[in-house]
Amino acid sequence: MIELIHEPDLYIDGRWTPGGGTDLEVENPATEEVTGRITQASTEDVETAIAAARAAFGPWAATPVAERAAVLRRLGEVLTERADLFAHIINREQGSPPRVARALHVDTPIAVVDATVEALERFEFRSELRNSLILLEPVGVVAAITPWNLPLHQVVVKVVPALAAGATVVLKPAGLTPLAAFELARAFEAAGLPAGAFNLVPGSGRVVGDLLTRHPGVDQVSFTGSTPVGRSIAAAAAESLKRVTLELGGKSASVVLAGASDELLAKAVKITVANCFLNGGQTCTALSRLIVPAGKLEQVEELAAAAAEKYVPGSRLGPLISADQRKEVESFLEPGAGGADAVTVTSPLGLPERGYYVSPAVVSRVAPDSRLAQEEVFGPVLAVLAAGSDDDAVALANNSIYGLGGAVWGPDEAALEVAGRLQTGQVDVNGGAFNPAAPFGGYKQSGIGREIGEYGIADVLEIKAVQR
Ligand code: NAP
Ligand code: MG
């Protein structure tokens, strides 16, 4: 039997202190076994953490940029040294296969740390405008509330730019996957971050999350998670008029233009399937809709089914996070979810005996206003829609309450033009790679604000004009 990961202490004000809340067991969704145990923060622990972050704010904000950058650069080195440990923890609490755990869950946030340090070293906190001096100043205490789908990355993209800016942080990680955050606290300690600049208060969203959202000692709430919870957080934060950054759900479209060659079409289908099924389909930018010229539908169905077959549950495809999430994902495969003409073009693959696995699915001829075309699945289910023209494809892509990611495939000039017409915060043209320095965030109901790099730093800055 594998030893439990046990975290009885919280990290508050630079010290490891016993948590005052109840214990919480952490399950491995790939085995359905308890793999860890933590103690949650009590209300008093949260108060102590906010007070510590407030006390640390002045000195940290006044720390020269070069020193803040040095601490964060050292953080990147510590994360790199401990990358296998992080991958191991994430494999256990989130269920991702080891290779995915390392490449997606650990190497990506390390690249984000490096890019953010670079952005900080270049960042202009002072500028002049006529007779004014424009000063960009950190907002104060930032409460970060994060989801379970990427237990390290979602934390790093909030916390590192905030610290870079000179703000201090209180983090509430997801209850389903709190373990990586403890190791991150140890990495901050090893990197020499001053006491109180980063504080860890695990606990439920309803108690700890809600307290952070309403607390007058918190200046900004930075939340990643579902759109309904994001809406309630924005409403709760409005009472004290705190600033709010929201990274919410998505229903991102991969658009193949009529002018795409057969070779490009094949590449588009393969990469869209891979992107949609990444992390068991549990990424916010998943390309979960594939929009193709109507005349290419049969060709696409064959290509997509062949690509999907390679995502064998239990090896290349990881599990869903929980039994509840599996039930939710399965509901999108019921007859009618994709409209009257929808057909599933994949065959079910065998499932491991344990773990919250589902067989990956490609559903084609999906109706534009059906549940499958409109709602976020957060599982390995790709919806294929047919477009009558490129204009129709753009209209279908924008027919969504969401606006997070997207992709376009076609002759370069036409594809760039269509990228400009998509109402989303990210668009990848002809397979453009993830850029760890680029701003990340959503249009429409996918969010408010931007994370990562210089835009992530700017997101936690107040703007002051001094006239002379
Ligand atoms: P969720 O239920 O919205 O929870 C996210 C976080 O908010 C968790 O830490 C949760 O705590 C906390 N929370 C829940 N209710 C709260 C409340 N009333 N006040 C304050 N905090 C509260 O989301 P999830 O189920 O963990 O994650 C899946 C969803 O997140 C998907 O819809 C996905 O699209 C979205 N997502 C978006 C992005 C992005 O960057 N745009 C990235 C990843 C995921 P608990 O510990 O109690 O759950
Ligand atoms: Mg939830």
Side-chain angles (χ1 to χ4, degrees), residues 11-15 48-60 140-142 159 163 166-171 188-189 192-200:
Y11 186 66
I12 296 175
D13 204 10
R15 284 188 293 271
T48 309
I50 293 170
R54 279 238 80 78
F57 171 60
W60 180 243
V141 175
V142 174
V159 170
L163 290 169
T168 55
V169 176
V170 179
L171 167 69
F188 273 127
E189 221 181 355
L193 186 73
F198 172 81
N199 305 275
L200 176 62

PDB file of all heavy atoms in Angstrom, residues 11-15 48-60 140-142 159 163 166-171 188-189 192-200:
ATOM      1  N   TYR A  11       0.313  26.891   5.948  1.00  0.00           N
ATOM      2  CA  TYR A  11       1.459  27.795   5.813  1.00  0.00           C
ATOM      3  C   TYR A  11       0.936  29.231   5.893  1.00  0.00           C
ATOM      4  O   TYR A  11       0.326  29.734   4.949  1.00  0.00           O
ATOM      5  CB  TYR A  11       2.168  27.529   4.484  1.00  0.00           C
ATOM      6  CG  TYR A  11       3.449  28.314   4.334  1.00  0.00           C
ATOM      7  CD1 TYR A  11       4.546  28.065   5.155  1.00  0.00           C
ATOM      8  CD2 TYR A  11       3.568  29.300   3.366  1.00  0.00           C
ATOM      9  CE1 TYR A  11       5.728  28.778   5.018  1.00  0.00           C
ATOM     10  CE2 TYR A  11       4.746  30.018   3.218  1.00  0.00           C
ATOM     11  CZ  TYR A  11       5.822  29.756   4.052  1.00  0.00           C
ATOM     12  OH  TYR A  11       6.985  30.462   3.907  1.00  0.00           O
ATOM     13  N   ILE A  12       1.152  29.835   7.067  1.00  0.00           N
ATOM     14  CA  ILE A  12       0.651  31.199   7.313  1.00  0.00           C
ATOM     15  C   ILE A  12       1.774  32.021   7.937  1.00  0.00           C
ATOM     16  O   ILE A  12       2.398  31.593   8.906  1.00  0.00           O
ATOM     17  CB  ILE A  12      -0.577  31.173   8.266  1.00  0.00           C
ATOM     18  CG1 ILE A  12      -1.747  30.428   7.613  1.00  0.00           C
ATOM     19  CG2 ILE A  12      -1.002  32.595   8.650  1.00  0.00           C
ATOM     20  CD1 ILE A  12      -2.958  30.244   8.498  1.00  0.00           C
ATOM     21  N   ASP A  13       2.010  33.205   7.397  1.00  0.00           N
ATOM     22  CA  ASP A  13       3.025  34.125   7.917  1.00  0.00           C
ATOM     23  C   ASP A  13       4.409  33.468   7.995  1.00  0.00           C
ATOM     24  O   ASP A  13       5.153  33.678   8.962  1.00  0.00           O
ATOM     25  CB  ASP A  13       2.596  34.648   9.311  1.00  0.00           C
ATOM     26  CG  ASP A  13       3.257  35.984   9.640  1.00  0.00           C
ATOM     27  OD1 ASP A  13       3.876  36.583   8.725  1.00  0.00           O
ATOM     28  OD2 ASP A  13       3.182  36.406  10.800  1.00  0.00           O
ATOM     29  N   GLY A  14       4.719  32.656   7.002  1.00  0.00           N
ATOM     30  CA  GLY A  14       6.046  32.049   6.939  1.00  0.00           C
ATOM     31  C   GLY A  14       6.273  30.914   7.923  1.00  0.00           C
ATOM     32  O   GLY A  14       7.393  30.475   8.110  1.00  0.00           O
ATOM     33  N   ARG A  15       5.200  30.444   8.567  1.00  0.00           N
ATOM     34  CA  ARG A  15       5.337  29.342   9.537  1.00  0.00           C
ATOM     35  C   ARG A  15       4.356  28.222   9.205  1.00  0.00           C
ATOM     36  O   ARG A  15       3.273  28.463   8.680  1.00  0.00           O
ATOM     37  CB  ARG A  15       5.034  29.841  10.953  1.00  0.00           C
ATOM     38  CG  ARG A  15       6.149  30.660  11.575  1.00  0.00           C
ATOM     39  CD  ARG A  15       5.845  30.944  13.057  1.00  0.00           C
ATOM     40  NE  ARG A  15       4.692  31.838  13.191  1.00  0.00           N
ATOM     41  CZ  ARG A  15       4.782  33.164  13.202  1.00  0.00           C
ATOM     42  NH1 ARG A  15       5.958  33.752  13.109  1.00  0.00           N
ATOM     43  NH2 ARG A  15       3.702  33.912  13.325  1.00  0.00           N
ATOM     44  N   THR A  48      -6.058  35.184  10.406  1.00  0.00           N
ATOM     45  CA  THR A  48      -4.610  35.320  10.657  1.00  0.00           C
ATOM     46  C   THR A  48      -3.851  35.468   9.342  1.00  0.00           C
ATOM     47  O   THR A  48      -2.922  36.270   9.222  1.00  0.00           O
ATOM     48  CB  THR A  48      -4.084  34.076  11.418  1.00  0.00           C
ATOM     49  OG1 THR A  48      -4.915  33.851  12.548  1.00  0.00           O
ATOM     50  CG2 THR A  48      -2.651  34.267  11.884  1.00  0.00           C
ATOM     51  N   ALA A  49      -4.270  34.690   8.336  1.00  0.00           N
ATOM     52  CA  ALA A  49      -3.581  34.721   7.038  1.00  0.00           C
ATOM     53  C   ALA A  49      -3.760  36.081   6.356  1.00  0.00           C
ATOM     54  O   ALA A  49      -2.808  36.638   5.801  1.00  0.00           O
ATOM     55  CB  ALA A  49      -4.117  33.601   6.145  1.00  0.00           C
ATOM     56  N   ILE A  50      -4.971  36.627   6.428  1.00  0.00           N
ATOM     57  CA  ILE A  50      -5.215  37.935   5.793  1.00  0.00           C
ATOM     58  C   ILE A  50      -4.405  39.016   6.519  1.00  0.00           C
ATOM     59  O   ILE A  50      -3.779  39.882   5.884  1.00  0.00           O
ATOM     60  CB  ILE A  50      -6.725  38.281   5.794  1.00  0.00           C
ATOM     61  CG1 ILE A  50      -7.478  37.301   4.874  1.00  0.00           C
ATOM     62  CG2 ILE A  50      -6.955  39.715   5.330  1.00  0.00           C
ATOM     63  CD1 ILE A  50      -9.004  37.393   4.985  1.00  0.00           C
ATOM     64  N   ALA A  51      -4.371  38.932   7.851  1.00  0.00           N
ATOM     65  CA  ALA A  51      -3.591  39.916   8.629  1.00  0.00           C
ATOM     66  C   ALA A  51      -2.099  39.799   8.282  1.00  0.00           C
ATOM     67  O   ALA A  51      -1.406  40.817   8.143  1.00  0.00           O
ATOM     68  CB  ALA A  51      -3.817  39.696  10.124  1.00  0.00           C
ATOM     69  N   ALA A  52      -1.615  38.574   8.111  1.00  0.00           N
ATOM     70  CA  ALA A  52      -0.199  38.365   7.770  1.00  0.00           C
ATOM     71  C   ALA A  52       0.103  38.947   6.385  1.00  0.00           C
ATOM     72  O   ALA A  52       1.140  39.591   6.177  1.00  0.00           O
ATOM     73  CB  ALA A  52       0.136  36.874   7.806  1.00  0.00           C
ATOM     74  N   ALA A  53      -0.823  38.722   5.452  1.00  0.00           N
ATOM     75  CA  ALA A  53      -0.621  39.239   4.093  1.00  0.00           C
ATOM     76  C   ALA A  53      -0.640  40.770   4.095  1.00  0.00           C
ATOM     77  O   ALA A  53       0.130  41.415   3.383  1.00  0.00           O
ATOM     78  CB  ALA A  53      -1.701  38.688   3.159  1.00  0.00           C
ATOM     79  N   ARG A  54      -1.491  41.359   4.932  1.00  0.00           N
ATOM     80  CA  ARG A  54      -1.553  42.828   5.031  1.00  0.00           C
ATOM     81  C   ARG A  54      -0.244  43.384   5.588  1.00  0.00           C
ATOM     82  O   ARG A  54       0.302  44.361   5.078  1.00  0.00           O
ATOM     83  CB  ARG A  54      -2.674  43.273   5.989  1.00  0.00           C
ATOM     84  CG  ARG A  54      -4.047  43.286   5.428  1.00  0.00           C
ATOM     85  CD  ARG A  54      -4.718  44.666   5.520  1.00  0.00           C
ATOM     86  NE  ARG A  54      -4.258  45.540   4.454  1.00  0.00           N
ATOM     87  CZ  ARG A  54      -4.695  45.463   3.193  1.00  0.00           C
ATOM     88  NH1 ARG A  54      -5.599  44.586   2.833  1.00  0.00           N
ATOM     89  NH2 ARG A  54      -4.206  46.291   2.282  1.00  0.00           N
ATOM     90  N   ALA A  55       0.239  42.724   6.650  1.00  0.00           N
ATOM     91  CA  ALA A  55       1.476  43.202   7.287  1.00  0.00           C
ATOM     92  C   ALA A  55       2.656  43.055   6.324  1.00  0.00           C
ATOM     93  O   ALA A  55       3.564  43.889   6.323  1.00  0.00           O
ATOM     94  CB  ALA A  55       1.728  42.426   8.576  1.00  0.00           C
ATOM     95  N   ALA A  56       2.636  42.011   5.515  1.00  0.00           N
ATOM     96  CA  ALA A  56       3.764  41.780   4.598  1.00  0.00           C
ATOM     97  C   ALA A  56       3.688  42.684   3.372  1.00  0.00           C
ATOM     98  O   ALA A  56       4.686  42.867   2.669  1.00  0.00           O
ATOM     99  CB  ALA A  56       3.771  40.312   4.151  1.00  0.00           C
ATOM    100  N   PHE A  57       2.515  43.242   3.116  1.00  0.00           N
ATOM    101  CA  PHE A  57       2.323  43.972   1.857  1.00  0.00           C
ATOM    102  C   PHE A  57       3.260  45.179   1.703  1.00  0.00           C
ATOM    103  O   PHE A  57       3.965  45.296   0.688  1.00  0.00           O
ATOM    104  CB  PHE A  57       0.864  44.417   1.699  1.00  0.00           C
ATOM    105  CG  PHE A  57       0.672  45.345   0.531  1.00  0.00           C
ATOM    106  CD1 PHE A  57       0.977  44.929  -0.763  1.00  0.00           C
ATOM    107  CD2 PHE A  57       0.212  46.651   0.724  1.00  0.00           C
ATOM    108  CE1 PHE A  57       0.828  45.799  -1.841  1.00  0.00           C
ATOM    109  CE2 PHE A  57       0.066  47.512  -0.348  1.00  0.00           C
ATOM    110  CZ  PHE A  57       0.378  47.091  -1.633  1.00  0.00           C
ATOM    111  N   GLY A  58       3.303  46.049   2.717  1.00  0.00           N
ATOM    112  CA  GLY A  58       4.124  47.265   2.605  1.00  0.00           C
ATOM    113  C   GLY A  58       5.581  46.954   2.254  1.00  0.00           C
ATOM    114  O   GLY A  58       6.107  47.438   1.239  1.00  0.00           O
ATOM    115  N   PRO A  59       6.228  46.120   3.076  1.00  0.00           N
ATOM    116  CA  PRO A  59       7.633  45.793   2.801  1.00  0.00           C
ATOM    117  C   PRO A  59       7.843  45.101   1.447  1.00  0.00           C
ATOM    118  O   PRO A  59       8.807  45.409   0.744  1.00  0.00           O
ATOM    119  CB  PRO A  59       8.017  44.857   3.955  1.00  0.00           C
ATOM    120  CG  PRO A  59       7.006  45.096   5.031  1.00  0.00           C
ATOM    121  CD  PRO A  59       5.766  45.596   4.375  1.00  0.00           C
ATOM    122  N   TRP A  60       6.937  44.197   1.081  1.00  0.00           N
ATOM    123  CA  TRP A  60       7.128  43.471  -0.195  1.00  0.00           C
ATOM    124  C   TRP A  60       6.934  44.421  -1.370  1.00  0.00           C
ATOM    125  O   TRP A  60       7.685  44.397  -2.344  1.00  0.00           O
ATOM    126  CB  TRP A  60       6.171  42.278  -0.268  1.00  0.00           C
ATOM    127  CG  TRP A  60       6.276  41.473  -1.536  1.00  0.00           C
ATOM    128  CD1 TRP A  60       5.293  41.309  -2.467  1.00  0.00           C
ATOM    129  CD2 TRP A  60       7.404  40.716  -2.012  1.00  0.00           C
ATOM    130  NE1 TRP A  60       5.735  40.496  -3.490  1.00  0.00           N
ATOM    131  CE2 TRP A  60       7.034  40.122  -3.239  1.00  0.00           C
ATOM    132  CE3 TRP A  60       8.699  40.495  -1.530  1.00  0.00           C
ATOM    133  CZ2 TRP A  60       7.894  39.316  -3.989  1.00  0.00           C
ATOM    134  CZ3 TRP A  60       9.565  39.692  -2.273  1.00  0.00           C
ATOM    135  CH2 TRP A  60       9.166  39.119  -3.478  1.00  0.00           C
ATOM    136  N   GLY A 140      -2.544  45.439  -3.199  1.00  0.00           N
ATOM    137  CA  GLY A 140      -2.605  45.089  -1.774  1.00  0.00           C
ATOM    138  C   GLY A 140      -2.638  43.591  -1.593  1.00  0.00           C
ATOM    139  O   GLY A 140      -1.774  42.876  -2.102  1.00  0.00           O
ATOM    140  N   VAL A 141      -3.677  43.088  -0.900  1.00  0.00           N
ATOM    141  CA  VAL A 141      -3.808  41.649  -0.642  1.00  0.00           C
ATOM    142  C   VAL A 141      -4.719  41.029  -1.707  1.00  0.00           C
ATOM    143  O   VAL A 141      -5.845  41.491  -1.907  1.00  0.00           O
ATOM    144  CB  VAL A 141      -4.393  41.401   0.760  1.00  0.00           C
ATOM    145  CG1 VAL A 141      -4.651  39.915   0.985  1.00  0.00           C
ATOM    146  CG2 VAL A 141      -3.465  41.968   1.827  1.00  0.00           C
ATOM    147  N   VAL A 142      -4.217  40.004  -2.358  1.00  0.00           N
ATOM    148  CA  VAL A 142      -4.999  39.294  -3.373  1.00  0.00           C
ATOM    149  C   VAL A 142      -5.398  37.926  -2.816  1.00  0.00           C
ATOM    150  O   VAL A 142      -4.540  37.170  -2.335  1.00  0.00           O
ATOM    151  CB  VAL A 142      -4.173  39.098  -4.668  1.00  0.00           C
ATOM    152  CG1 VAL A 142      -4.930  38.232  -5.674  1.00  0.00           C
ATOM    153  CG2 VAL A 142      -3.823  40.459  -5.282  1.00  0.00           C
ATOM    154  N   VAL A 159      -0.701  33.524  -8.697  1.00  0.00           N
ATOM    155  CA  VAL A 159       0.094  33.938  -7.552  1.00  0.00           C
ATOM    156  C   VAL A 159       1.416  34.577  -7.988  1.00  0.00           C
ATOM    157  O   VAL A 159       1.842  35.579  -7.408  1.00  0.00           O
ATOM    158  CB  VAL A 159       0.344  32.694  -6.653  1.00  0.00           C
ATOM    159  CG1 VAL A 159       1.368  32.999  -5.588  1.00  0.00           C
ATOM    160  CG2 VAL A 159      -0.979  32.232  -6.032  1.00  0.00           C
ATOM    161  N   LEU A 163       2.646  38.364  -6.999  1.00  0.00           N
ATOM    162  CA  LEU A 163       3.851  38.619  -6.195  1.00  0.00           C
ATOM    163  C   LEU A 163       4.842  39.470  -6.978  1.00  0.00           C
ATOM    164  O   LEU A 163       5.500  40.344  -6.418  1.00  0.00           O
ATOM    165  CB  LEU A 163       4.492  37.291  -5.776  1.00  0.00           C
ATOM    166  CG  LEU A 163       3.691  36.482  -4.735  1.00  0.00           C
ATOM    167  CD1 LEU A 163       4.274  35.082  -4.603  1.00  0.00           C
ATOM    168  CD2 LEU A 163       3.672  37.186  -3.374  1.00  0.00           C
ATOM    169  N   GLY A 166       4.158  43.000  -6.616  1.00  0.00           N
ATOM    170  CA  GLY A 166       4.362  43.555  -5.280  1.00  0.00           C
ATOM    171  C   GLY A 166       3.163  43.367  -4.366  1.00  0.00           C
ATOM    172  O   GLY A 166       3.149  43.861  -3.243  1.00  0.00           O
ATOM    173  N   ALA A 167       2.137  42.653  -4.851  1.00  0.00           N
ATOM    174  CA  ALA A 167       0.994  42.320  -4.007  1.00  0.00           C
ATOM    175  C   ALA A 167       1.356  41.115  -3.136  1.00  0.00           C
ATOM    176  O   ALA A 167       2.348  40.421  -3.404  1.00  0.00           O
ATOM    177  CB  ALA A 167      -0.224  42.000  -4.875  1.00  0.00           C
ATOM    178  N   THR A 168       0.553  40.861  -2.102  1.00  0.00           N
ATOM    179  CA  THR A 168       0.724  39.644  -1.310  1.00  0.00           C
ATOM    180  C   THR A 168      -0.536  38.791  -1.466  1.00  0.00           C
ATOM    181  O   THR A 168      -1.583  39.290  -1.900  1.00  0.00           O
ATOM    182  CB  THR A 168       0.991  39.953   0.172  1.00  0.00           C
ATOM    183  OG1 THR A 168      -0.071  40.781   0.668  1.00  0.00           O
ATOM    184  CG2 THR A 168       2.326  40.670   0.335  1.00  0.00           C
ATOM    185  N   VAL A 169      -0.438  37.493  -1.114  1.00  0.00           N
ATOM    186  CA  VAL A 169      -1.446  36.536  -1.538  1.00  0.00           C
ATOM    187  C   VAL A 169      -1.918  35.633  -0.404  1.00  0.00           C
ATOM    188  O   VAL A 169      -1.127  35.178   0.419  1.00  0.00           O
ATOM    189  CB  VAL A 169      -0.855  35.651  -2.673  1.00  0.00           C
ATOM    190  CG1 VAL A 169      -1.849  34.570  -3.089  1.00  0.00           C
ATOM    191  CG2 VAL A 169      -0.458  36.499  -3.880  1.00  0.00           C
ATOM    192  N   VAL A 170      -3.235  35.367  -0.406  1.00  0.00           N
ATOM    193  CA  VAL A 170      -3.806  34.291   0.402  1.00  0.00           C
ATOM    194  C   VAL A 170      -4.466  33.329  -0.590  1.00  0.00           C
ATOM    195  O   VAL A 170      -5.332  33.734  -1.362  1.00  0.00           O
ATOM    196  CB  VAL A 170      -4.863  34.818   1.398  1.00  0.00           C
ATOM    197  CG1 VAL A 170      -5.448  33.675   2.212  1.00  0.00           C
ATOM    198  CG2 VAL A 170      -4.245  35.874   2.314  1.00  0.00           C
ATOM    199  N   LEU A 171      -4.043  32.074  -0.572  1.00  0.00           N
ATOM    200  CA  LEU A 171      -4.538  31.090  -1.547  1.00  0.00           C
ATOM    201  C   LEU A 171      -5.469  30.075  -0.908  1.00  0.00           C
ATOM    202  O   LEU A 171      -5.141  29.461   0.103  1.00  0.00           O
ATOM    203  CB  LEU A 171      -3.345  30.336  -2.164  1.00  0.00           C
ATOM    204  CG  LEU A 171      -3.713  29.076  -2.973  1.00  0.00           C
ATOM    205  CD1 LEU A 171      -4.434  29.436  -4.271  1.00  0.00           C
ATOM    206  CD2 LEU A 171      -2.470  28.233  -3.277  1.00  0.00           C
ATOM    207  N   PHE A 188       8.198  28.169  -2.199  1.00  0.00           N
ATOM    208  CA  PHE A 188       8.328  29.603  -1.903  1.00  0.00           C
ATOM    209  C   PHE A 188       9.280  29.811  -0.720  1.00  0.00           C
ATOM    210  O   PHE A 188      10.099  30.739  -0.714  1.00  0.00           O
ATOM    211  CB  PHE A 188       6.960  30.216  -1.576  1.00  0.00           C
ATOM    212  CG  PHE A 188       6.192  30.682  -2.791  1.00  0.00           C
ATOM    213  CD1 PHE A 188       4.887  30.254  -3.014  1.00  0.00           C
ATOM    214  CD2 PHE A 188       6.770  31.560  -3.705  1.00  0.00           C
ATOM    215  CE1 PHE A 188       4.168  30.692  -4.128  1.00  0.00           C
ATOM    216  CE2 PHE A 188       6.062  32.002  -4.815  1.00  0.00           C
ATOM    217  CZ  PHE A 188       4.762  31.561  -5.026  1.00  0.00           C
ATOM    218  N   GLU A 189       9.140  28.943   0.280  1.00  0.00           N
ATOM    219  CA  GLU A 189      10.008  29.012   1.458  1.00  0.00           C
ATOM    220  C   GLU A 189      11.471  28.847   1.030  1.00  0.00           C
ATOM    221  O   GLU A 189      12.332  29.649   1.404  1.00  0.00           O
ATOM    222  CB  GLU A 189       9.612  27.854   2.386  1.00  0.00           C
ATOM    223  CG  GLU A 189       9.579  28.185   3.822  1.00  0.00           C
ATOM    224  CD  GLU A 189       9.189  26.955   4.673  1.00  0.00           C
ATOM    225  OE1 GLU A 189       8.846  25.869   4.140  1.00  0.00           O
ATOM    226  OE2 GLU A 189       9.250  27.111   5.896  1.00  0.00           O
ATOM    227  N   GLY A 192      13.075  31.758  -0.638  1.00  0.00           N
ATOM    228  CA  GLY A 192      13.365  32.931   0.185  1.00  0.00           C
ATOM    229  C   GLY A 192      12.308  34.017   0.125  1.00  0.00           C
ATOM    230  O   GLY A 192      12.589  35.189   0.410  1.00  0.00           O
ATOM    231  N   LEU A 193      11.080  33.655  -0.198  1.00  0.00           N
ATOM    232  CA  LEU A 193      10.000  34.653  -0.181  1.00  0.00           C
ATOM    233  C   LEU A 193       9.773  35.097   1.270  1.00  0.00           C
ATOM    234  O   LEU A 193       9.683  34.251   2.158  1.00  0.00           O
ATOM    235  CB  LEU A 193       8.715  34.044  -0.764  1.00  0.00           C
ATOM    236  CG  LEU A 193       7.546  35.013  -0.928  1.00  0.00           C
ATOM    237  CD1 LEU A 193       7.795  35.963  -2.098  1.00  0.00           C
ATOM    238  CD2 LEU A 193       6.228  34.252  -1.150  1.00  0.00           C
ATOM    239  N   PRO A 194       9.659  36.402   1.528  1.00  0.00           N
ATOM    240  CA  PRO A 194       9.459  36.861   2.908  1.00  0.00           C
ATOM    241  C   PRO A 194       8.167  36.313   3.526  1.00  0.00           C
ATOM    242  O   PRO A 194       7.177  36.084   2.811  1.00  0.00           O
ATOM    243  CB  PRO A 194       9.369  38.385   2.779  1.00  0.00           C
ATOM    244  CG  PRO A 194       9.898  38.730   1.439  1.00  0.00           C
ATOM    245  CD  PRO A 194       9.748  37.525   0.571  1.00  0.00           C
ATOM    246  N   ALA A 195       8.192  36.143   4.851  1.00  0.00           N
ATOM    247  CA  ALA A 195       7.030  35.641   5.594  1.00  0.00           C
ATOM    248  C   ALA A 195       5.805  36.510   5.317  1.00  0.00           C
ATOM    249  O   ALA A 195       5.902  37.735   5.273  1.00  0.00           O
ATOM    250  CB  ALA A 195       7.341  35.627   7.086  1.00  0.00           C
ATOM    251  N   GLY A 196       4.654  35.871   5.120  1.00  0.00           N
ATOM    252  CA  GLY A 196       3.398  36.594   4.961  1.00  0.00           C
ATOM    253  C   GLY A 196       3.063  36.967   3.526  1.00  0.00           C
ATOM    254  O   GLY A 196       1.923  37.320   3.232  1.00  0.00           O
ATOM    255  N   ALA A 197       4.042  36.891   2.619  1.00  0.00           N
ATOM    256  CA  ALA A 197       3.751  37.278   1.235  1.00  0.00           C
ATOM    257  C   ALA A 197       2.875  36.223   0.545  1.00  0.00           C
ATOM    258  O   ALA A 197       2.078  36.556  -0.329  1.00  0.00           O
ATOM    259  CB  ALA A 197       5.047  37.488   0.453  1.00  0.00           C
ATOM    260  N   PHE A 198       3.026  34.957   0.951  1.00  0.00           N
ATOM    261  CA  PHE A 198       2.181  33.883   0.411  1.00  0.00           C
ATOM    262  C   PHE A 198       1.648  33.065   1.579  1.00  0.00           C
ATOM    263  O   PHE A 198       2.409  32.589   2.412  1.00  0.00           O
ATOM    264  CB  PHE A 198       2.992  32.971  -0.524  1.00  0.00           C
ATOM    265  CG  PHE A 198       2.230  31.743  -0.959  1.00  0.00           C
ATOM    266  CD1 PHE A 198       1.313  31.816  -2.001  1.00  0.00           C
ATOM    267  CD2 PHE A 198       2.411  30.519  -0.317  1.00  0.00           C
ATOM    268  CE1 PHE A 198       0.585  30.681  -2.395  1.00  0.00           C
ATOM    269  CE2 PHE A 198       1.694  29.392  -0.709  1.00  0.00           C
ATOM    270  CZ  PHE A 198       0.787  29.475  -1.747  1.00  0.00           C
ATOM    271  N   ASN A 199       0.337  32.909   1.644  1.00  0.00           N
ATOM    272  CA  ASN A 199      -0.298  32.170   2.735  1.00  0.00           C
ATOM    273  C   ASN A 199      -1.275  31.154   2.157  1.00  0.00           C
ATOM    274  O   ASN A 199      -1.982  31.451   1.189  1.00  0.00           O
ATOM    275  CB  ASN A 199      -1.058  33.130   3.644  1.00  0.00           C
ATOM    276  CG  ASN A 199      -0.161  34.239   4.162  1.00  0.00           C
ATOM    277  OD1 ASN A 199       0.523  34.085   5.151  1.00  0.00           O
ATOM    278  ND2 ASN A 199      -0.140  35.361   3.443  1.00  0.00           N
ATOM    279  N   LEU A 200      -1.309  29.973   2.773  1.00  0.00           N
ATOM    280  CA  LEU A 200      -2.124  28.868   2.242  1.00  0.00           C
ATOM    281  C   LEU A 200      -3.226  28.504   3.224  1.00  0.00           C
ATOM    282  O   LEU A 200      -2.948  28.071   4.347  1.00  0.00           O
ATOM    283  CB  LEU A 200      -1.205  27.663   2.005  1.00  0.00           C
ATOM    284  CG  LEU A 200      -1.866  26.363   1.544  1.00  0.00           C
ATOM    285  CD1 LEU A 200      -2.544  26.554   0.200  1.00  0.00           C
ATOM    286  CD2 LEU A 200      -0.816  25.258   1.467  1.00  0.00           C
TER     287      LEU A 200
END
